[in-house]
Amino acid sequence: MSPETDSVTAEAEAVATQAQAIAPETATGLSAIALALPGRLPEELRTELIAFRRDIHMHPELGNREFRTTSAIKARLEQAGLEPRVLPGGTGLICDIGTDIGTDIGTDIGPDGGTGARTGAAAALPMLALRADIDALPIPDTKSVPYRSTVPDRAHACGHDVHTTVVLGAGLVLAELAREGRLPRPVRLLFQPAEEVLPGGAPDAVEAGVLDGVGRILALHCDPKVDVGRIGLRIGAITSACDRLEVSLDGAGGHTARPHLTTDLVTAAAKVITEVPAVLSRRVDTRSGLAVTWGRVESGHACNVIPQHAELSGTVRCLDLPAWREAPDLVHAAVDEIATLHGAKSEINYVRGVPPVVNEESSVELLRRAMETRRGSYAVEGTEQSLGGEDFSWYLEHVPGAMARLGVRRVGDTARRDLHCGDFDVDEGAIEVGVELFTAAALLG
């Protein structure tokens, strides 16, 4: 842990104390298993995890450059007697817990929450992977808090520091349960780099073998629209596909006094910007939600000169897999048609990003049972499909799994907050909620 975190340790302890208020006050409304299921977060570890999150928050690193973050995670896992393995790119790591379960007799969680002998057959359950993303965003941190980012124009504005801390905390708890013979299946912790860099770090992680032996994978994502102490679940698509679109337009330039002798590239670019989304809306089922949104336009240097070159870039998002698979051809055709109509030559760079995250039903049910076991049915709510992209989707092309939305909004907070904004922050009680969710899923799954 960095010495810089010493100044916030006292505050972290206060937050940890407040976090206990989020937990169920009594056993009323909970099944007996909620009392018997092991894996609660000890007070000392709760405080440590808040400080760990703040340390990462103060030292954000961009995708594929998360060397300090990787080192901090690795050191803490090794301190717990585990053997983490850094991924081939030098950032990110995996760590297996309980891989020797199949050779020993241990204990299992019974339907009433009790424990009993676990046979080798039961111990042969496939490995459960818990995934966290570890990279930050290239934006400034605008919060006035002791743990504000110390790196200019870098911030954990998407909650990846929380995701990382949750999986670390779950790993530490599960490692202790494994030593006690109370972990019914092996678990792999996956700390993945470069989620924010299309097409994400997940394809490289899959190529490196992180899913070898894995039968199911779970993840969570901070949601500032959900109160702390709750999670949002959805069967099916919970995020959208997201690709990057770059368009270059070229044509004869000239004097603004004689646009009829030019391609009038600025007008051509304006038409591509406005007409391409309109054309696409008539070529795909509107329920697919295919949308082109531009984020950058650049052309010209003088008010009386029609330029010879223009550049546009933006994103292509859609709600379902069939539309995502058709999108490149549809977008190419629409851009070419509009550009040609206005005499411009177009060059398109369509960068594949990520497909939608499609939650598998039994994995969603596992998360539901885990959360209800820990905190009751009140703690689970439905959630809508987001137009945001998430490279967790690549794992689900290979194994079943699901992503939950982790509530991070302070109870009673009415301010409108969103991800990818410089003032993004969380109620740190969400860390305990996430750890308990994942530990219960590992025990029940």
Side-chain angles (χ1 to χ4, degrees):
M1 190 66 62
S2 166
E4 294 171 278
T5 60
D6 292 344
S7 62
V8 298
T9 299
E11 185 180 354
E13 291 175 348
V15 171
T17 300
Q18 295 171 4
Q20 295 181 65
I22 302 167
E25 296 179 1
T26 69
T28 303
L30 298 180
S31 64
I33 194 173
L35 299 178
L37 194 68
R40 290 285 187 183
L41 191 62
E43 173 64 26
E44 183 178 355
L45 181 56
R46 183 186 298 113
T47 300
E48 178 193 347
L49 291 176
I50 291 173
F52 188 92
R53 177 257 170 172
R54 294 186 176 193
D55 180 62
I56 294 177
H57 196 89
M58 292 167 64
H59 301 90
E61 298 173 298
L62 298 184
N64 293 319
R65 305 176 195 172
E66 311 95 332
F67 296 105
R68 184 186 185 278
T69 305
T70 299
S71 178
I73 300 166
K74 182 173 182 288
R76 184 61 184 92
L77 292 171
E78 289 177 338
Q79 181 184 341
L82 299 171
E83 299 180 355
R85 293 167 283 164
V86 176
L87 297 180
T91 64
L93 63 153
I94 62 173
C95 183
D96 292 345
I97 301 170
T99 51
D100 58 346
I101 285 175
T103 62
D104 298 320
I105 297 297
T107 56
D108 202 1
I109 307 301
D112 61 350
T115 59
R118 185 183 67 239
T119 66
L125 291 169
M127 184 178 291
L128 174 70
L130 305 176
R131 175 266 198 174
D133 36 15
I134 66 175
D135 57 325
L137 286 161
I139 63 175
D141 189 342
T142 61
K143 301 187 300 298
S144 296
V145 293
Y147 49 89
R148 179 178 175 176
S149 171
T150 61
V151 184
D153 299 321
R154 302 287 186 269
H156 269 293
C158 199
H160 294 189
D161 53 334
V162 174
H163 308 164
T164 298
T165 305
V166 165
V167 173
L168 173 66
L172 296 176
V173 173
L174 292 173
E176 181 61 30
L177 292 177
R179 282 189 286 270
E180 297 171 358
R182 295 198 286 175
L183 184 62
R185 65 160 71 237
V187 174
R188 173 167 294 161
L189 312 179
L190 166 55
F191 299 91
Q192 177 214 301
E195 190 276 332
E196 298 287 356
V197 183
L198 289 180
D204 289 339
V206 171
E207 181 67 22
V210 300
L211 293 181
D212 292 351
V214 170
R216 188 188 306 276
I217 186 167
L218 302 176
L220 48 71
H221 200 295
C222 291
D223 191 336
K225 301 186 297 298
V226 177
D227 284 345
V228 65
R230 297 174 179 264
I231 62 169
L233 294 177
R234 178 185 177 90
I235 297 171
I238 192 172
T239 70
S240 301
C242 179
D243 298 334
R244 187 171 75 244
L245 176 62
E246 299 170 345
V247 178
S248 295
L249 301 175
D250 292 283
H255 202 293
T256 56
R258 292 174 288 279
H260 60 290
L261 301 179
T262 74
T263 301
D264 195 357
L265 212 57
V266 172
T267 297
K271 291 297 184 180
V272 169
I273 290 169
T274 58
E275 296 299 325
V276 166
V279 168
L280 291 171
S281 72
R282 294 299 180 267
R283 295 187 177 175
V284 295
D285 190 328
T286 55
R287 290 171 296 183
S288 71
L290 181 64
V292 174
T293 305
W294 304 101
R296 185 181 73 90
V297 182
E298 185 175 339
S299 184
H301 300 283
C303 66
N304 61 348
V305 178
I306 294 176
Q308 296 178 325
H309 183 72
E311 294 182 358
L312 320 172
S313 60
T315 58
V316 181
R317 299 179 188 271
C318 55
L319 299 176
D320 60 39
L321 280 170
W324 181 68
R325 294 188 175 107
E326 295 177 8
D329 290 340
L330 291 170
V331 171
H332 270 82
V335 171
D336 285 341
E337 288 176 21
I338 303 302
T340 300
L341 182 63
H342 293 275
K345 180 181 178 182
S346 62
E347 184 176 334
I348 302 168
N349 181 28
Y350 194 104
V351 182
R352 267 305 197 194
V354 294
V357 172
V358 181
N359 282 346
E360 184 259 339
E361 185 173 3
S362 65
S363 299
V364 173
E365 181 58 27
L366 172 59
L367 288 167
R368 182 186 306 279
R369 287 194 299 122
M371 192 63 174
E372 290 180 348
T373 294
R374 288 299 191 200
R375 293 172 180 264
S377 59
Y378 81 95
V380 179
E381 60 184 62
T383 190
E384 62 186 10
Q385 183 178 5
S386 165
L387 278 170
E390 234 292 349
D391 77 347
F392 181 69
S393 55
W394 291 118
Y395 300 114
L396 303 185
E397 297 280 301
H398 302 274
V399 296
M403 170 175 281
R405 295 216 167 104
L406 178 68
V408 297
R409 181 175 61 191
R410 292 179 177 86
V411 177
D413 185 356
T414 59
R416 182 181 291 250
R417 307 180 194 279
D418 202 0
L419 304 168
H420 289 218
C421 294
D423 64 348
F424 175 77
D425 204 358
V426 305
D427 185 320
E428 291 170 312
I431 295 171
E432 177 182 2
V433 177
V435 171
E436 291 190 355
L437 171 68
F438 276 166
T439 55
L443 293 168
L444 294 172

